[in-house]
Amino acid sequence: MSVRPPRLRALAWDLDGTVVDSGPAWHAVEVELARAHGGTWHESDSQACIGHPLEVTARRLRDRSTIRGTDTEIIRELSARLAQRFMRGGVPFRPGVPDLIEQARLAGLTQVLVTSASGSYVDALQRHLPAFTGAITGREVGVPKPDPEAYRRALDLIGETPDSVLALEDSAVGIAAATSAGLCTLACAGRAHGYAVAGVVTDLSSLRVEDLRDLHRRWLVRR
């Protein structure tokens, strides 16, 4: 008797760079905070922190300015500034994301957020994602991406196995985390960063849920 392959039942979304184009806003608040404490912050500093836990940003800010305080205190200040910026200017969703989230909701797919970020910024954005079952953030994990812990916790949260979930990620550390957890992974920023992913796109504007199902089916055959 043949065994039917697992079907796609859930999407696991990264936040920064995947759901939202938060890079420019992060850079702006990092520059603000560094300058407020007599320092400087360049685009290269922001690029060096992409995909890493916010503790990396906090430590780099201490190196680039006279700011004092714990990692937690600096992260809290950054998150509060970012949340205020989004409240004033709206959420900068990446192209195609709101439509794909709504399609997935209508198709009955479970959706979960998996991010190394935390704080008031993430809390504020979650209010704009009512279709999501829940989130695994930096608060819930002991080891950040590229460790697969966040994705494993997400699987526990939604009660799914790795072969029934598709992850959407943009950064090298995020793709490493998702693939290490055994998930079918779509690279959403034009690069696979050397990992064996199900597909690579520059944005999600041309994708439909059926495209994701097809990617998942082909990934199951290849693995």
Short mmCIF file of all heavy atoms in Angstrom, two decimals, residues 47-73:
data_model
loop_
_atom_site.label_atom_id
_atom_site.label_comp_id
_atom_site.label_asym_id
_atom_site.label_seq_id
_atom_site.Cartn_x
_atom_site.Cartn_y
_atom_site.Cartn_z
N GLN A 47 24.32 46.41 8.44
CA GLN A 47 24.43 45.20 7.63
C GLN A 47 25.08 44.06 8.43
O GLN A 47 24.69 42.90 8.30
CB GLN A 47 25.26 45.48 6.37
CG GLN A 47 24.56 46.34 5.34
CD GLN A 47 23.34 45.67 4.75
OE1 GLN A 47 23.33 44.47 4.49
NE2 GLN A 47 22.28 46.43 4.54
N ALA A 48 26.04 44.41 9.27
CA ALA A 48 26.74 43.39 10.07
C ALA A 48 25.82 42.75 11.11
O ALA A 48 26.11 41.65 11.60
CB ALA A 48 27.95 44.00 10.76
N CYS A 49 24.72 43.42 11.44
CA CYS A 49 23.81 42.91 12.47
C CYS A 49 22.61 42.17 11.91
O CYS A 49 21.86 41.54 12.68
CB CYS A 49 23.31 44.09 13.33
SG CYS A 49 24.61 44.94 14.25
N ILE A 50 22.40 42.22 10.60
CA ILE A 50 21.22 41.62 10.00
C ILE A 50 21.18 40.11 10.25
O ILE A 50 22.17 39.40 10.05
CB ILE A 50 21.18 41.89 8.48
CG1 ILE A 50 20.85 43.37 8.23
CG2 ILE A 50 20.13 41.01 7.78
CD1 ILE A 50 20.87 43.77 6.78
N GLY A 51 20.03 39.66 10.72
CA GLY A 51 19.83 38.23 10.96
C GLY A 51 20.32 37.74 12.30
O GLY A 51 20.01 36.63 12.71
N HIS A 52 21.07 38.56 13.01
CA HIS A 52 21.61 38.18 14.30
C HIS A 52 20.71 38.67 15.43
O HIS A 52 19.91 39.61 15.24
CB HIS A 52 23.02 38.75 14.47
CG HIS A 52 24.01 38.17 13.51
ND1 HIS A 52 24.52 36.90 13.63
CD2 HIS A 52 24.59 38.69 12.39
CE1 HIS A 52 25.36 36.66 12.64
NE2 HIS A 52 25.42 37.72 11.87
N PRO A 53 20.83 38.08 16.63
CA PRO A 53 20.02 38.57 17.76
C PRO A 53 20.37 40.01 18.09
O PRO A 53 21.48 40.48 17.81
CB PRO A 53 20.38 37.62 18.90
CG PRO A 53 21.69 37.01 18.50
CD PRO A 53 21.66 36.93 17.00
N LEU A 54 19.42 40.70 18.72
CA LEU A 54 19.61 42.13 19.00
C LEU A 54 20.74 42.40 19.99
O LEU A 54 21.24 43.52 20.07
CB LEU A 54 18.30 42.73 19.50
CG LEU A 54 17.22 42.90 18.43
CD1 LEU A 54 15.90 43.30 19.06
CD2 LEU A 54 17.66 43.93 17.39
N GLU A 55 21.15 41.38 20.72
CA GLU A 55 22.30 41.56 21.60
C GLU A 55 23.56 41.93 20.82
O GLU A 55 24.41 42.68 21.32
CB GLU A 55 22.56 40.27 22.40
CG GLU A 55 21.58 40.01 23.53
CD GLU A 55 20.26 39.44 23.05
OE1 GLU A 55 20.14 39.13 21.83
OE2 GLU A 55 19.34 39.30 23.88
N VAL A 56 23.66 41.46 19.58
CA VAL A 56 24.79 41.82 18.72
C VAL A 56 24.75 43.31 18.41
O VAL A 56 25.78 44.01 18.44
CB VAL A 56 24.76 40.99 17.42
CG1 VAL A 56 25.82 41.48 16.43
CG2 VAL A 56 24.98 39.51 17.73
N THR A 57 23.55 43.83 18.11
CA THR A 57 23.39 45.26 17.86
C THR A 57 23.73 46.07 19.10
O THR A 57 24.40 47.11 19.01
CB THR A 57 21.95 45.57 17.41
OG1 THR A 57 21.63 44.77 16.27
CG2 THR A 57 21.79 47.04 17.06
N ALA A 58 23.26 45.62 20.27
CA ALA A 58 23.51 46.33 21.52
C ALA A 58 25.01 46.43 21.80
O ALA A 58 25.52 47.50 22.16
CB ALA A 58 22.80 45.64 22.68
N ARG A 59 25.72 45.34 21.61
CA ARG A 59 27.17 45.35 21.86
C ARG A 59 27.88 46.26 20.87
O ARG A 59 28.82 46.99 21.24
CB ARG A 59 27.72 43.92 21.77
CG ARG A 59 27.28 43.03 22.93
CD ARG A 59 28.10 41.75 22.99
NE ARG A 59 27.79 40.85 21.90
CZ ARG A 59 26.84 39.92 21.96
NH1 ARG A 59 26.10 39.78 23.06
NH2 ARG A 59 26.64 39.11 20.94
N ARG A 60 27.43 46.25 19.63
CA ARG A 60 28.06 47.10 18.62
C ARG A 60 27.80 48.57 18.91
O ARG A 60 28.67 49.42 18.70
CB ARG A 60 27.55 46.71 17.23
CG ARG A 60 28.45 47.14 16.07
CD ARG A 60 27.94 46.60 14.76
NE ARG A 60 28.84 46.89 13.66
CZ ARG A 60 29.79 46.07 13.22
NH1 ARG A 60 29.98 44.90 13.81
NH2 ARG A 60 30.57 46.40 12.20
N LEU A 61 26.59 48.88 19.40
CA LEU A 61 26.29 50.27 19.78
C LEU A 61 27.20 50.75 20.92
O LEU A 61 27.62 51.91 20.93
CB LEU A 61 24.82 50.40 20.18
CG LEU A 61 23.83 50.58 19.03
CD1 LEU A 61 22.41 50.33 19.50
CD2 LEU A 61 23.95 51.99 18.43
N ARG A 62 27.49 49.87 21.86
CA ARG A 62 28.41 50.27 22.93
C ARG A 62 29.80 50.53 22.39
O ARG A 62 30.50 51.43 22.86
CB ARG A 62 28.45 49.18 24.01
CG ARG A 62 27.31 49.27 25.02
CD ARG A 62 27.60 48.47 26.29
NE ARG A 62 27.65 47.04 26.01
CZ ARG A 62 26.59 46.25 26.05
NH1 ARG A 62 25.41 46.74 26.41
NH2 ARG A 62 26.70 44.96 25.78
N ASP A 63 30.21 49.77 21.37
CA ASP A 63 31.52 49.99 20.75
C ASP A 63 31.57 51.28 19.95
O ASP A 63 32.64 51.89 19.82
CB ASP A 63 31.87 48.82 19.81
CG ASP A 63 32.13 47.52 20.55
OD1 ASP A 63 32.41 47.56 21.77
OD2 ASP A 63 32.04 46.45 19.90
N ARG A 64 30.42 51.70 19.41
CA ARG A 64 30.39 52.85 18.50
C ARG A 64 30.00 54.16 19.20
O ARG A 64 29.98 55.21 18.55
CB ARG A 64 29.38 52.59 17.36
CG ARG A 64 29.72 51.40 16.46
CD ARG A 64 30.95 51.69 15.62
NE ARG A 64 31.17 50.62 14.63
CZ ARG A 64 31.90 49.54 14.86
NH1 ARG A 64 32.48 49.38 16.05
NH2 ARG A 64 32.08 48.63 13.93
N SER A 65 29.66 54.10 20.49
CA SER A 65 29.21 55.31 21.19
C SER A 65 29.52 55.18 22.68
O SER A 65 30.12 54.20 23.13
CB SER A 65 27.70 55.51 20.99
OG SER A 65 26.97 54.51 21.70
N THR A 66 29.08 56.17 23.44
CA THR A 66 29.30 56.15 24.90
C THR A 66 28.09 55.59 25.64
O THR A 66 28.00 55.73 26.86
CB THR A 66 29.59 57.57 25.42
OG1 THR A 66 28.45 58.41 25.13
CG2 THR A 66 30.83 58.16 24.78
N ILE A 67 27.17 54.96 24.92
CA ILE A 67 25.96 54.44 25.55
C ILE A 67 26.32 53.40 26.61
O ILE A 67 27.23 52.60 26.44
CB ILE A 67 25.01 53.84 24.50
CG1 ILE A 67 23.64 53.55 25.11
CG2 ILE A 67 25.59 52.57 23.88
CD1 ILE A 67 22.57 53.20 24.09
N ARG A 68 25.61 53.46 27.71
CA ARG A 68 25.80 52.49 28.79
C ARG A 68 24.49 51.72 28.99
O ARG A 68 23.49 52.01 28.37
CB ARG A 68 26.22 53.20 30.07
CG ARG A 68 27.58 53.87 29.99
CD ARG A 68 28.69 52.81 29.81
NE ARG A 68 30.01 53.42 29.65
CZ ARG A 68 30.59 53.64 28.49
NH1 ARG A 68 29.96 53.31 27.37
NH2 ARG A 68 31.78 54.19 28.42
N GLY A 69 24.53 50.76 29.86
CA GLY A 69 23.34 49.96 30.09
C GLY A 69 23.54 48.54 29.62
O GLY A 69 24.46 48.24 28.85
N THR A 70 22.67 47.69 30.05
CA THR A 70 22.74 46.28 29.67
C THR A 70 22.22 46.07 28.25
O THR A 70 21.58 46.96 27.67
CB THR A 70 21.90 45.43 30.63
OG1 THR A 70 20.52 45.80 30.48
CG2 THR A 70 22.33 45.64 32.08
N ASP A 71 22.48 44.89 27.73
CA ASP A 71 21.92 44.55 26.41
C ASP A 71 20.40 44.72 26.43
O ASP A 71 19.81 45.28 25.49
CB ASP A 71 22.24 43.10 26.04
CG ASP A 71 23.70 42.90 25.68
OD1 ASP A 71 24.43 43.90 25.57
OD2 ASP A 71 24.09 41.73 25.49
N THR A 72 19.77 44.25 27.49
CA THR A 72 18.31 44.32 27.61
C THR A 72 17.82 45.74 27.57
O THR A 72 16.82 46.06 26.90
CB THR A 72 17.84 43.63 28.90
OG1 THR A 72 18.25 42.25 28.87
CG2 THR A 72 16.33 43.71 29.04
N GLU A 73 18.50 46.63 28.25
CA GLU A 73 18.08 48.05 28.29
C GLU A 73 18.24 48.71 26.93
O GLU A 73 17.37 49.48 26.50
CB GLU A 73 18.90 48.79 29.36
CG GLU A 73 18.53 48.39 30.78
CD GLU A 73 19.52 48.89 31.80
OE1 GLU A 73 20.68 49.20 31.43
OE2 GLU A 73 19.15 48.97 32.99
#
